[in-house]
Amino acid sequence: MNSPMLQHIPLESAYLCQDCDCVGNCSTHCPACASTALMNLASVLNRNEVEAEMALPSFAYAVSRAASALAA
């Protein structure tokens, strides 16, 4: 049984070809189809940057009209 060769591509150098949906590590052209329609996956999938940019939501409680009427 032949097993496929496993590849390791760091996220910073992983590019998705938008023509053939292959992932490669060349930023100028797709290694599978030579297309130049590439998208850097780190810009989409980098979770560290997303977590740093996301602010935690702050909650403020509003007093309902019924509660304010009872308090008056």
Side-chain angles (χ1 to χ4, degrees):
M1 177 174 155
N2 290 338
S3 62
M5 186 180 356
L6 299 176
Q7 297 291 319
H8 174 265
I9 300 174
L11 187 60
E12 295 83 28
S13 61
Y15 295 88
L16 173 67
C17 176
Q18 296 186 14
D19 287 334
C20 72
D21 293 333
C22 288
V23 175
N25 62 349
C26 181
S27 64
T28 58
H29 65 278
C30 174
C33 72
S35 172
T36 57
L38 302 172
M39 178 178 60
N40 184 296
L41 291 178
S43 64
V44 179
L45 300 176
N46 196 347
R47 295 175 296 225
N48 295 333
E49 288 181 13
V50 171
E51 290 173 0
E53 291 176 2
M54 282 190 341
L56 294 176
S58 59
F59 296 99
Y61 294 98
V63 178
S64 68
R65 291 182 194 172
S68 61
L70 292 175

